[in-house]
Amino acid sequence: MTASVNLDHGLILAAALFVLGLFGVLARRNIIFILLSIEVMLNAAGLAFVVAGAKWGETDGQVMFIFILAMAAAEVSVGLALMLRMYHMLKTLDADAAGSMKG
Amino acid sequence: MNAVFYLSAFVAVISTIMVITRVNAVHALLYFIVSLLSVALIFFVLGAPFIAALEVIIYAGAILVLFVFVIMLLNIGSEAAEKEKQLLSPQAWTGPALLAAVLLAELIYVLVKGGSGAGGIGIIGPKQVGVSLLTKYVIGVELASMLLLAGLVGAYHLGKRDRTKKRRTA
């Protein structure tokens, strides 16, 4: 309560979470985990916006977080529908199995 | 309040590492919920109580539930009962439960000691955010509504059964 939080450390946390999500996207091949890692990255981006908004005492960071939230909701619904479709067609959730197109 | 911030940052990083290293998708989801809750606590400490509530309600409450539904849809049948039995074993839930207990202790401490904005920056409340959202960013709101509509139509179209293909195979 006495000392204020160092907001640079908030940005460092956002960067760490973003890199963890990026690692998940690159390293995992199960499509559920790829979608989850994308969510981690979007959440880290929103955290960076809110920390920056708190630093300057403006509302813009929180407004941007609301936009990111709407975008994440749309992205996840389409992504999960695509994942269900892929599972019905290929009987697997391996992203590499969908490596070739029909033409 | 510094300790609360660093402790929840630590919980967030640990649970995110657990998310990307789990083999079982449901375990990863449990850890991801803990990660979202810790980020919500950070928002609360940084003076954004409205965003903290949105993080819990929409992210942890809606988007993650969508994930859970789809994962449950994918393994119907006799495997599901085995999975359910496995899910109730202590090794599945002790990790997330411990991290969530840390977050609960922090939340109680924050609520007793100072409330939101105790990180020393000052609160930006829902009223200011709403005014800014509907005056300065009103075009962004319209665009977000169009994006959500596109997402709705797209998810419906991709999710419905493919009748033409069925007829071809039959």
Side-chain angles (χ1 to χ4, degrees), chain A residues 73 76-78 80, chain B residues 29 61-72:
Chain A
V76 106
S77 58
V78 173
L80 286 174
Chain B
L29 280 174
I63 296 180
L64 267 287
V65 168
L66 202 63
F67 265 101
V68 172
F69 273 143
V70 169
I71 289 172
M72 294 300 165

Side-chain angles (χ1 to χ4, degrees), chain A residues 53-67:
Chain A
K55 175 132 189 161
W56 280 285
E58 295 285 341
T59 55
D60 304 64
Q62 300 193 24
V63 171
M64 284 301 160
F65 184 85
I66 294 174
F67 289 153

Side-chain angles (χ1 to χ4, degrees), chain B residues 3 8 15 21 28 36 63 65 67 71 73-74 76 81 95 100 134 149-150:
Chain B
S8 35
S15 53
T21 54
L36 291 175
I63 296 180
V65 168
F67 265 101
I71 289 172
L73 270 180
L74 286 182
I76 34 175
L134 291 181
L149 181 65

Side-chain angles (χ1 to χ4, degrees), chain B residues 86-133:
Chain B
Q86 220 176 35
L87 200 63
L88 290 174
S89 71
Q91 54 147 349
W93 54 260
T94 38
L98 275 178
L99 293 174
V102 171
L103 288 180
L104 176 67
E106 281 184 76
L107 185 59
I108 290 171
Y109 176 75
V110 170
L111 286 177
V112 167
K113 285 293 258 216
S116 179
I121 300 106
I123 302 176
I124 300 170
K127 190 175 174 185
Q128 289 158 278
V129 176
V131 167
S132 173
L133 192 64

